[in-house]
Amino acid sequence: MSAEAVAEAEYFSKDFEWETLRQEIEDNPSYQYHLLPFTYTTPSQQQEIQVSEDSKAWKRFHLRHSTGKFFKVFTYYFFFN
């Protein structure tokens, strides 16, 4: 077996130092989102949130247009030559 073949077969347990990476993340403000707690919502919770937001949007719409006049009045003009 050649020296090249042996070098290609080498495996490493890690590609970088974890402590160095941790320090880089903690020191760089643009990476702060990595340090925020992870919140998970289930699909049913996401659906409930969407339904709630849709309901609020319709309520706002009806409050703004309580008179029922939310379409612009359009007048047709016919021109004959």
Side-chain angles (χ1 to χ4, degrees):
M1 192 178 260
S2 70
E4 288 178 20
V6 172
E8 290 176 16
E10 270 187 79
Y11 295 99
F12 299 94
S13 63
K14 57 184 175 181
D15 294 331
F16 51 86
E17 293 295 325
W18 282 103
E19 289 303 314
T20 306
L21 177 62
R22 182 181 62 81
Q23 194 62 46
E24 180 181 339
I25 299 296
E26 289 176 354
D27 292 345
N28 190 334
S30 66
Y31 294 142
Q32 289 299 311
Y33 66 93
H34 288 293
L35 303 174
L36 298 175
F38 177 75
T39 56
Y40 175 75
T41 56
T42 63
S44 64
Q45 289 171 328
Q46 290 172 350
Q47 185 177 5
E48 287 176 20
I49 291 169
Q50 183 62 41
V51 168
S52 174
E53 290 174 3
D54 290 347
S55 177
K56 288 178 185 175
W58 276 113
K59 286 178 183 177
R60 283 192 309 269
F61 174 83
H62 286 290
L63 284 173
R64 280 195 313 256
H65 305 290
S66 60
T67 63
K69 297 179 181 179
F70 51 88
F71 291 110
K72 183 177 179 181
V73 176
F74 188 82
T75 306
Y76 294 92
Y77 295 101
F78 296 99
F79 296 97
F80 299 100
N81 290 334

